[in-house]
Amino acid sequence: MTPGRRRALGVAGVVLVGVAGTFAWLFQDMTLPQGERIEAIDGVVGVETSGSFAWIVPAGDGVVLVDAGADPDAEALLAELGRQGRDAGDVRAVLLTHAHGDHTGGLRQFPQAEIWIGADDVALLRKERTPIGWIPRMMAPLFDAPVPDNPLEEFADGDTHTVAGLTVKGTAVPGHTLGSMAWQVGDLLFTGDALVAARDGVTVLFAWIADAPERQVPSVRRLVGVEAAMMADGHFGLTPEPADAIDRFLAARQ
Ligand SMILES: [Zn+2]
């Protein structure tokens, strides 16, 4: 990526996050991103990558990523891996919460990592379809990374798989994208953009960035009673006790 293009992407990202953040602050119960580097639990670290979070999860002698960030050079991710005494070759797998470009941009830096993805987002990742939400559709040309040719594994709703030695349960949470997944790894629930931290708990993102907005709240119902100590999302950060926060979110919508 040329410096000019990189700058354009950065500016677009900042504008998008700024506009969305302002709307969120005014009209929804949203919060602001919690920082550039977030330490969660169990050694998991969140890294802010040009507007979205990617999460580094220790996995045996390597790591698993939850999403790969917006930055095609994955600079912040590689810097954090370096801080941990690791490099790109230590990334065994990437669990994609969904296939929007601001979560898949860094994939090309980890060509050996197997990608795990919800079955209904494979076409989006392969650019065989465009996003339906008008903002992601408008932004899609900016995220012009080539389709990754990593080994690809589809994750079906409710399945549990061993990924690089980690036990991972995937729950389909369609709405933000058709194939959005929530990943549970140990005590952490990774929700991407399907459910995010709010000022007083959790909320869903705007209808106009969603593939199927009417499916967002029903998908949150699929996470009721989740046994996780912490939720980690794709743009804001951590939410403690997600099961309680989900109950409050749903109670307010009855
Ligand atoms: Zn998204």
Side-chain angles (χ1 to χ4, degrees), residues 97-103 136 176-177 180 192-194 205 209 235:
T97 60
H98 64 297
H100 278 157
D102 55 337
H103 299 259
H176 180 74
T177 62
S180 287
D193 294 358
L205 285 171
I209 56 176
H235 287 281

Side-chain angles (χ1 to χ4, degrees), residues 38 40 44-46 53-57 64-67 190 232-234 237-238:
I38 299 177
V44 173
V45 174
F53 280 108
W55 300 88
I56 302 175
V57 184
V64 166
L65 300 182
V66 177
D67 291 337
F190 297 95
D233 67 55
L238 298 172

Side-chain angles (χ1 to χ4, degrees), residues 148-217:
D149 54 7
N150 307 44
L152 195 79
E153 302 279 354
E154 293 182 19
F155 221 104
D157 176 38
D159 275 3
T160 298
H161 288 284
T162 302
V163 178
L166 296 177
T167 302
V168 178
K169 182 180 181 206
T171 302
V173 282
H176 180 74
T177 62
L178 300 179
S180 287
M181 294 292 282
W183 305 116
Q184 181 153 11
V185 185
D187 263 340
L188 269 159
L189 178 72
F190 297 95
T191 51
D193 294 358
L195 187 66
V196 298
R199 264 181 267 173
D200 182 33
V202 291
T203 192
V204 294
L205 285 171
F206 319 102
W208 31 273
I209 56 176
D211 277 349
E214 74 288 354
R215 298 176 74 184
Q216 291 193 104
V217 173

Side-chain angles (χ1 to χ4, degrees), residues 8-74:
L9 184 65
V11 168
V14 168
V15 168
L16 184 71
V17 168
V19 170
T22 305
F23 268 88
W25 186 257
L26 289 174
F27 300 112
Q28 290 202 347
D29 190 28
M30 283 189 180
T31 180
L32 295 170
Q34 293 164 6
E36 291 185 350
R37 179 182 184 277
I38 299 177
E39 288 186 20
I41 51 176
D42 302 333
V44 173
V45 174
V47 178
E48 203 273 340
T49 64
S50 307
S52 69
F53 280 108
W55 300 88
I56 302 175
V57 184
D61 63 350
V63 299
V64 166
L65 300 182
V66 177
D67 291 337
D71 174 12
D73 298 325

